Amino acid sequence: MSTVVLVLGACGQIGTELSLKLRSIYGSSNVIASDIKPGSDELMESGPFELIDATNGEQILGIIQKYKVNSVYLLAAMLSATAEKHPQKAWNLNMKSLSIVLDLAKEGRIKQIYWPSSIAVFGPTSPKTNTPQNTILEPTTVYGISKLSGEYWCNYYHSNFGVDVRSLRYPGIVSWKTEPGGGTTDYAVDIYIKAVKEGRYTSFLSGDTRLPMMYMDDAINATIQLMEADSKALQIRTSYNLSGFDCTPKEVANSIKKILPDFTIDYDPDFRQKIADSWPDSIDDQFARQQWNWKHRVDLGEMSKIMISNISKTVISL
Ligand code: SER
Protein backbone atom coordinates (compact mmCIF):
# COMPACT_ATOMS: atom_id res chain seq x y z
CA MET A 1 0.00 0.00 0.00
CA SER A 2 1.42 3.38 -0.92
CA THR A 3 1.81 6.05 1.72
CA VAL A 4 -0.70 8.89 1.40
CA VAL A 5 -0.03 11.71 3.83
CA LEU A 6 -2.14 14.55 5.16
CA VAL A 7 -0.17 17.40 6.74
CA LEU A 8 -2.27 19.56 9.07
CA GLY A 9 -0.65 22.94 9.63
CA ALA A 10 1.32 22.63 6.38
CA CYS A 11 1.85 26.38 5.94
CA GLY A 12 3.75 26.94 9.16
CA GLN A 13 7.50 26.99 9.69
CA ILE A 14 7.98 23.22 9.95
CA GLY A 15 4.90 22.19 7.96
CA THR A 16 6.08 23.98 4.81
CA GLU A 17 9.45 22.26 4.58
CA LEU A 18 8.16 18.93 5.86
CA SER A 19 5.43 18.86 3.19
CA LEU A 20 7.95 19.65 0.44
CA LYS A 21 10.27 16.90 1.65
CA LEU A 22 7.44 14.36 2.01
CA ARG A 23 6.38 15.19 -1.57
CA SER A 24 9.89 14.46 -2.81
CA ILE A 25 9.78 11.07 -1.06
CA TYR A 26 6.20 9.82 -1.53
CA GLY A 27 5.24 11.69 -4.70
CA SER A 28 3.58 15.10 -4.95
CA SER A 29 0.04 13.80 -5.36
CA ASN A 30 0.40 11.59 -2.28
CA VAL A 31 1.04 14.45 0.13
CA ILE A 32 -1.98 16.63 0.87
CA ALA A 33 -0.97 19.92 2.44
CA SER A 34 -3.62 21.66 4.53
CA ASP A 35 -4.00 24.71 6.73
CA ILE A 36 -6.53 27.39 7.62
CA LYS A 37 -4.94 29.65 5.01
CA PRO A 38 -2.88 29.18 1.84
CA GLY A 39 0.92 29.03 2.14
CA SER A 40 4.02 29.85 0.12
CA ASP A 41 3.93 29.65 -3.68
CA GLU A 42 6.39 26.76 -3.62
CA LEU A 43 4.13 24.75 -1.34
CA MET A 44 0.89 25.65 -3.13
CA GLU A 45 2.30 24.86 -6.56
CA SER A 46 3.97 21.57 -5.66
CA GLY A 47 0.90 19.42 -4.92
CA PRO A 48 -2.64 19.21 -3.52
CA PHE A 49 -3.80 21.69 -0.91
CA GLU A 50 -6.99 21.78 1.17
CA LEU A 51 -8.29 24.42 3.56
CA ILE A 52 -8.81 22.60 6.87
CA ASP A 53 -9.40 23.74 10.42
CA ALA A 54 -7.47 21.21 12.53
CA THR A 55 -10.15 21.36 15.24
CA ASN A 56 -12.87 20.26 12.80
CA GLY A 57 -13.07 16.46 12.85
CA GLU A 58 -15.60 16.23 10.02
CA GLN A 59 -13.44 18.28 7.68
CA ILE A 60 -10.41 16.15 8.49
CA LEU A 61 -12.32 12.89 7.96
CA GLY A 62 -13.72 14.18 4.65
CA ILE A 63 -10.23 14.83 3.30
CA ILE A 64 -8.92 11.51 4.62
CA GLN A 65 -11.68 9.71 2.71
CA LYS A 66 -11.31 11.86 -0.41
CA TYR A 67 -7.61 11.09 -0.83
CA LYS A 68 -7.45 7.68 0.97
CA VAL A 69 -4.97 9.14 3.45
CA ASN A 70 -3.23 6.63 5.72
CA SER A 71 -0.77 8.84 7.58
CA VAL A 72 -1.35 12.20 9.31
CA TYR A 73 1.30 14.71 10.38
CA LEU A 74 -0.32 17.12 12.82
CA LEU A 75 1.75 20.31 12.82
CA ALA A 76 -1.04 22.78 13.62
CA ALA A 77 -0.40 24.32 17.03
CA MET A 78 -0.16 27.58 18.91
CA LEU A 79 3.41 28.14 20.11
CA SER A 80 4.65 29.19 23.54
CA ALA A 81 4.62 33.00 23.43
CA THR A 82 1.21 33.34 21.72
CA ALA A 83 -0.24 30.64 23.96
CA GLU A 84 0.59 32.71 27.06
CA LYS A 85 -1.60 35.45 25.59
CA HIS A 86 -4.47 33.16 24.55
CA PRO A 87 -4.37 30.22 26.96
CA GLN A 88 -7.82 28.76 26.25
CA LYS A 89 -7.47 29.13 22.50
CA ALA A 90 -4.07 27.44 22.65
CA TRP A 91 -5.37 24.59 24.78
CA ASN A 92 -8.33 24.09 22.46
CA LEU A 93 -6.26 24.05 19.27
CA ASN A 94 -3.36 22.00 20.62
CA MET A 95 -5.46 19.36 22.38
CA LYS A 96 -8.58 19.09 20.24
CA SER A 97 -6.65 18.55 17.02
CA LEU A 98 -4.62 15.79 18.65
CA SER A 99 -7.64 14.10 20.14
CA ILE A 100 -9.41 14.08 16.74
CA VAL A 101 -6.45 12.50 15.00
CA LEU A 102 -5.86 9.93 17.74
CA ASP A 103 -9.53 8.87 17.52
CA LEU A 104 -9.31 8.54 13.74
CA ALA A 105 -6.40 6.14 14.21
CA LYS A 106 -8.21 4.26 16.97
CA GLU A 107 -11.17 3.79 14.58
CA GLY A 108 -8.78 2.35 11.98
CA ARG A 109 -9.26 5.21 9.49
CA ILE A 110 -5.54 6.05 9.42
CA LYS A 111 -2.47 3.93 10.16
CA GLN A 112 0.14 6.35 11.44
CA ILE A 113 0.36 9.71 13.20
CA TYR A 114 3.21 12.15 13.69
CA TRP A 115 2.74 14.75 16.39
CA PRO A 116 5.50 17.08 17.61
CA SER A 117 6.17 17.76 21.25
CA SER A 118 8.75 20.25 22.51
CA ILE A 119 11.45 21.11 25.02
CA ALA A 120 8.60 23.11 26.61
CA VAL A 121 7.50 19.94 28.46
CA PHE A 122 10.40 20.66 30.82
CA GLY A 123 10.18 23.32 33.51
CA PRO A 124 12.28 25.16 36.08
CA THR A 125 12.55 22.05 38.27
CA SER A 126 13.99 19.87 35.48
CA PRO A 127 17.78 19.48 35.34
CA LYS A 128 19.05 22.36 33.16
CA THR A 129 21.99 20.76 31.43
CA ASN A 130 21.80 17.60 29.32
CA THR A 131 18.21 17.25 30.43
CA PRO A 132 17.41 13.53 30.38
CA GLN A 133 14.45 11.83 28.70
CA ASN A 134 12.90 10.71 31.96
CA THR A 135 13.10 13.42 34.57
CA ILE A 136 10.99 15.94 36.47
CA LEU A 137 8.40 17.34 34.04
CA GLU A 138 6.72 20.37 35.56
CA PRO A 139 6.09 22.85 32.71
CA THR A 140 5.05 26.38 33.65
CA THR A 141 3.70 27.51 30.26
CA VAL A 142 0.32 26.76 28.67
CA TYR A 143 2.14 25.46 25.61
CA GLY A 144 4.28 23.15 27.76
CA ILE A 145 1.24 21.87 29.64
CA SER A 146 -0.51 21.12 26.34
CA LYS A 147 2.53 19.30 24.97
CA LEU A 148 3.06 17.24 28.12
CA SER A 149 -0.61 16.27 28.24
CA GLY A 150 -0.50 15.42 24.54
CA GLU A 151 2.49 13.16 25.07
CA TYR A 152 0.57 11.12 27.62
CA TRP A 153 -2.49 10.93 25.36
CA CYS A 154 -0.24 9.55 22.61
CA ASN A 155 1.22 7.00 24.99
CA TYR A 156 -2.26 6.05 26.21
CA TYR A 157 -3.63 5.50 22.70
CA HIS A 158 -0.56 3.49 21.79
CA SER A 159 -0.68 1.19 24.79
CA ASN A 160 -4.46 0.77 25.00
CA PHE A 161 -5.51 0.84 21.34
CA GLY A 162 -2.29 0.02 19.47
CA VAL A 163 -2.25 3.43 17.74
CA ASP A 164 1.04 3.98 15.88
CA VAL A 165 1.71 7.55 16.99
CA ARG A 166 5.28 8.87 17.00
CA SER A 167 6.65 12.08 18.45
CA LEU A 168 9.76 14.22 18.96
CA ARG A 169 10.45 16.91 21.52
CA TYR A 170 11.74 19.55 19.09
CA PRO A 171 14.21 22.16 20.30
CA GLY A 172 14.05 25.65 18.72
CA ILE A 173 13.99 25.15 14.94
CA VAL A 174 15.91 27.55 12.71
CA SER A 175 15.05 27.95 9.04
CA TRP A 176 15.00 30.56 6.27
CA LYS A 177 12.08 29.50 4.01
CA THR A 178 9.15 30.20 6.33
CA GLU A 179 9.33 32.28 9.47
CA PRO A 180 8.14 30.83 12.76
CA GLY A 181 5.29 32.58 14.55
CA GLY A 182 4.69 33.03 18.23
CA GLY A 183 7.53 30.99 19.71
CA THR A 184 10.18 31.85 22.29
CA THR A 185 13.01 30.43 20.18
CA ASP A 186 11.99 32.63 17.21
CA TYR A 187 14.81 35.07 17.97
CA ALA A 188 17.20 32.57 16.39
CA VAL A 189 15.46 33.09 13.04
CA ASP A 190 14.73 36.84 13.38
CA ILE A 191 18.37 37.55 14.17
CA TYR A 192 19.54 36.27 10.76
CA ILE A 193 16.82 38.09 8.82
CA LYS A 194 17.63 41.39 10.57
CA ALA A 195 21.37 40.80 10.26
CA VAL A 196 21.09 40.53 6.48
CA LYS A 197 18.48 43.25 5.98
CA GLU A 198 19.46 45.84 8.61
CA GLY A 199 22.85 44.84 9.99
CA ARG A 200 21.56 45.01 13.56
CA TYR A 201 19.20 43.17 15.90
CA THR A 202 17.53 43.76 19.26
CA SER A 203 17.12 40.43 21.03
CA PHE A 204 14.04 39.79 23.17
CA LEU A 205 16.12 37.30 25.19
CA SER A 206 19.20 38.26 27.20
CA GLY A 207 22.63 37.60 25.68
CA ASP A 208 23.42 34.58 27.83
CA THR A 209 20.09 32.71 27.55
CA ARG A 210 21.13 29.24 26.48
CA LEU A 211 18.58 27.11 24.62
CA PRO A 212 18.68 23.90 22.59
CA MET A 213 18.43 24.57 18.82
CA MET A 214 18.39 22.70 15.54
CA TYR A 215 18.63 23.59 11.87
CA MET A 216 15.47 22.78 9.92
CA ASP A 217 16.97 20.10 7.66
CA ASP A 218 18.02 18.11 10.72
CA ALA A 219 14.52 18.43 12.21
CA ILE A 220 12.91 17.24 8.98
CA ASN A 221 15.33 14.33 8.65
CA ALA A 222 14.73 13.31 12.27
CA THR A 223 10.98 13.37 11.70
CA ILE A 224 11.09 11.22 8.59
CA GLN A 225 13.67 8.87 10.08
CA LEU A 226 11.44 8.34 13.14
CA MET A 227 8.36 7.75 10.98
CA GLU A 228 10.19 5.19 8.86
CA ALA A 229 11.82 3.39 11.80
CA ASP A 230 10.76 -0.17 12.62
CA SER A 231 7.97 0.12 15.15
CA LYS A 232 9.59 -2.59 17.30
CA ALA A 233 12.68 -0.43 17.83
CA LEU A 234 10.69 2.41 19.33
CA GLN A 235 10.46 2.08 23.08
CA ILE A 236 9.25 5.60 23.73
CA ARG A 237 5.65 6.44 22.84
CA THR A 238 5.38 9.68 24.75
CA SER A 239 7.97 11.70 22.81
CA TYR A 240 11.71 11.41 22.15
CA ASN A 241 14.22 13.97 23.41
CA LEU A 242 15.97 15.35 20.32
CA SER A 243 19.06 17.50 20.20
CA GLY A 244 21.14 19.40 17.68
CA PHE A 245 23.30 21.98 19.46
CA ASP A 246 22.75 24.66 22.08
CA CYS A 247 23.57 28.37 21.96
CA THR A 248 22.93 31.81 23.40
CA PRO A 249 21.94 34.96 21.47
CA LYS A 250 25.48 36.25 22.09
CA GLU A 251 26.99 33.13 20.51
CA VAL A 252 24.66 33.38 17.52
CA ALA A 253 25.66 37.04 17.13
CA ASN A 254 29.35 36.13 17.25
CA SER A 255 28.91 33.48 14.60
CA ILE A 256 27.07 36.02 12.39
CA LYS A 257 29.92 38.52 12.92
CA LYS A 258 32.36 36.03 11.40
CA ILE A 259 30.43 36.41 8.13
CA LEU A 260 29.02 39.94 8.54
CA PRO A 261 31.68 41.76 10.63
CA ASP A 262 29.61 44.97 10.96
CA PHE A 263 26.63 43.22 12.57
CA THR A 264 25.62 44.63 15.96
CA ILE A 265 23.24 43.31 18.61
CA ASP A 266 21.62 44.71 21.72
CA TYR A 267 19.31 43.14 24.26
CA ASP A 268 15.87 44.13 25.47
CA PRO A 269 14.31 41.08 27.16
CA ASP A 270 10.51 40.92 27.30
CA PHE A 271 7.95 38.41 28.70
CA ARG A 272 9.52 35.63 26.66
CA GLN A 273 12.62 35.72 28.89
CA LYS A 274 10.67 34.01 31.67
CA ILE A 275 9.55 31.27 29.30
CA ALA A 276 13.10 30.72 28.05
CA ASP A 277 14.45 30.66 31.60
CA SER A 278 12.10 27.79 32.44
CA TRP A 279 13.46 25.59 29.63
CA PRO A 280 16.62 23.46 29.46
CA ASP A 281 20.02 24.69 28.28
CA SER A 282 20.75 21.44 26.51
CA ILE A 283 19.14 18.04 25.93
CA ASP A 284 20.32 14.44 26.30
CA ASP A 285 18.86 12.56 23.33
CA GLN A 286 20.66 9.23 23.76
CA PHE A 287 17.48 7.16 23.24
CA ALA A 288 16.85 8.67 19.83
CA ARG A 289 20.50 8.04 18.94
CA GLN A 290 20.37 4.45 20.19
CA GLN A 291 16.92 3.31 19.11
CA TRP A 292 16.64 4.74 15.60
CA ASN A 293 20.15 6.00 14.87
CA TRP A 294 19.47 9.70 15.10
CA LYS A 295 22.46 11.91 14.32
CA HIS A 296 22.38 15.66 13.81
CA ARG A 297 24.52 17.17 11.06
CA VAL A 298 24.42 20.96 11.32
CA ASP A 299 26.08 22.99 14.07
CA LEU A 300 25.91 26.72 14.80
CA GLY A 301 28.75 27.83 12.48
CA GLU A 302 27.44 25.81 9.54
CA MET A 303 23.89 27.01 10.19
CA SER A 304 24.98 30.66 10.14
CA LYS A 305 26.58 30.16 6.73
CA ILE A 306 23.44 28.48 5.33
CA MET A 307 21.06 31.04 6.85
CA ILE A 308 22.97 34.12 5.72
CA SER A 309 23.60 32.91 2.19
CA ASN A 310 19.95 31.89 1.63
CA ILE A 311 18.42 34.99 3.21
CA SER A 312 20.80 37.18 1.16
CA LYS A 313 19.53 35.50 -2.05
CA THR A 314 15.91 36.05 -1.03
CA VAL A 315 16.56 39.71 -0.28
CA ILE A 316 18.29 40.23 -3.62
CA SER A 317 15.43 38.58 -5.53
CA LEU A 318 12.74 40.79 -3.87
N1 SER B 1 9.95 26.70 19.38
C1 SER B 1 8.88 26.53 20.31
C2 SER B 1 8.55 27.82 20.98
O1 SER B 1 9.42 28.63 21.13
C3 SER B 1 9.26 25.54 21.36
O2 SER B 1 8.89 24.28 20.94
O3 SER B 1 7.44 27.99 21.38
Side-chain angles (χ1 to χ4, degrees):
M1 193 177 55
S2 63
T3 303
V4 183
V5 178
L6 171 63
V7 182
L8 294 163
C11 299
Q13 186 203 14
I14 300 173
T16 300
E17 298 204 35
L18 185 60
S19 301
L20 294 169
K21 182 72 180 214
L22 290 170
R23 282 177 174 165
S24 76
I25 298 172
Y26 300 117
S28 296
S29 58
N30 289 326
V31 178
I32 303 33
S34 78
D35 210 308
I36 45 168
K37 52 174 182 13
S40 69
D41 291 348
E42 190 183 9
L43 179 73
M44 301 303 287
E45 285 158 13
S46 62
F49 177 83
E50 296 280 349
L51 284 173
I52 298 184
D53 169 359
T55 61
N56 185 327
E58 276 173 30
Q59 265 181 23
I60 297 174
L61 178 59
I63 298 303
I64 284 173
Q65 290 173 332
K66 178 175 169 188
Y67 292 94
K68 300 192 169 43
V69 167
N70 45 36
S71 179
V72 172
Y73 287 62
L74 170 53
L75 277 303
M78 197 183 286
L79 295 189
S80 60
T82 316
E84 289 307 293
K85 299 199 161 142
H86 308 283
Q88 291 302 335
K89 241 175 136 174
W91 179 257
N92 185 51
L93 170 61
N94 295 2
M95 300 318 297
K96 196 170 174 194
S97 54
L98 177 60
S99 143
I100 289 168
V101 173
L102 286 172
D103 277 332
L104 287 169
K106 180 187 165 193
E107 291 160 10
R109 296 179 191 273
I110 49 173
K111 297 265 171 291
Q112 227 190 4
I113 299 170
Y114 177 75
W115 177 79
S117 184
S118 159
I119 53 165
V121 295
F122 300 110
T125 51
S126 310
K128 266 254 173 260
T129 307
N130 285 329
T131 309
Q133 174 75 35
N134 299 307
T135 186
I136 302 167
L137 294 162
E138 295 180 332
T140 49
T141 62
V142 172
Y143 178 69
I145 299 169
S146 77
K147 288 298 180 189
L148 185 58
S149 310
E151 286 191 7
Y152 282 93
W153 278 112
C154 292
N155 196 47
Y156 184 85
Y157 271 66
H158 176 72
S159 47
N160 289 290
F161 311 122
V163 167
D164 186 6
V165 52
R166 306 179 181 201
S167 179
L168 298 171
R169 289 174 178 160
Y170 287 138
I173 307 292
V174 183
S175 64
W176 55 270
K177 276 197 181 174
T178 310
E179 284 185 50
T184 301
T185 55
D186 295 9
Y187 90 83
V189 174
D190 298 345
I191 191 170
Y192 288 104
I193 297 173
K194 293 274 167 41
V196 172
K197 293 189 180 169
E198 296 167 20
R200 57 168 312 282
Y201 180 65
T202 302
S203 170
F204 58 76
L205 298 181
S206 69
D208 54 5
T209 308
R210 185 169 296 283
L211 285 169
M213 294 283 174
M214 180 176 287
Y215 181 58
M216 179 64 88
D217 288 7
D218 276 340
I220 301 290
N221 288 338
T223 307
I224 290 167
Q225 215 181 319
L226 174 70
M227 290 300 273
E228 291 190 338
D230 182 349
S231 175
K232 291 195 275 299
L234 306 179
Q235 286 163 28
I236 294 168
R237 291 293 183 151
T238 47
S239 186
Y240 280 92
N241 273 14
L242 185 74
S243 170
F245 56 91
D246 52 271
C247 59
T248 65
K250 207 181 278 171
E251 288 167 358
V252 179
N254 287 338
S255 97
I256 292 175
K257 274 185 211 163
K258 287 190 186 147
I259 305 166
L260 304 171
D262 295 335
F263 173 67
T264 59
I265 184 163
D266 55 13
Y267 304 94
D268 185 14
D270 67 13
F271 73 103
R272 289 169 279 194
Q273 184 67 47
K274 188 174 156 213
I275 302 176
D277 287 342
S278 78
W279 290 351
D281 284 359
S282 56
I283 296 287
D284 175 351
D285 63 353
Q286 57 171 300
F287 294 115
R289 290 179 193 259
Q290 285 157 13
Q291 292 176 21
W292 44 276
N293 301 320
W294 159 244
K295 204 169 176 295
H296 83 282
R297 294 202 178 86
V298 180
D299 284 308
L300 177 59
E302 175 69 11
M303 184 175 85
S304 292
K305 285 185 207 151
I306 302 172
M307 289 294 288
I308 292 170
S309 87
N310 283 292
I311 296 167
S312 306
K313 282 182 215 147
T314 328
V315 173
I316 292 163
S317 69
L318 284 178

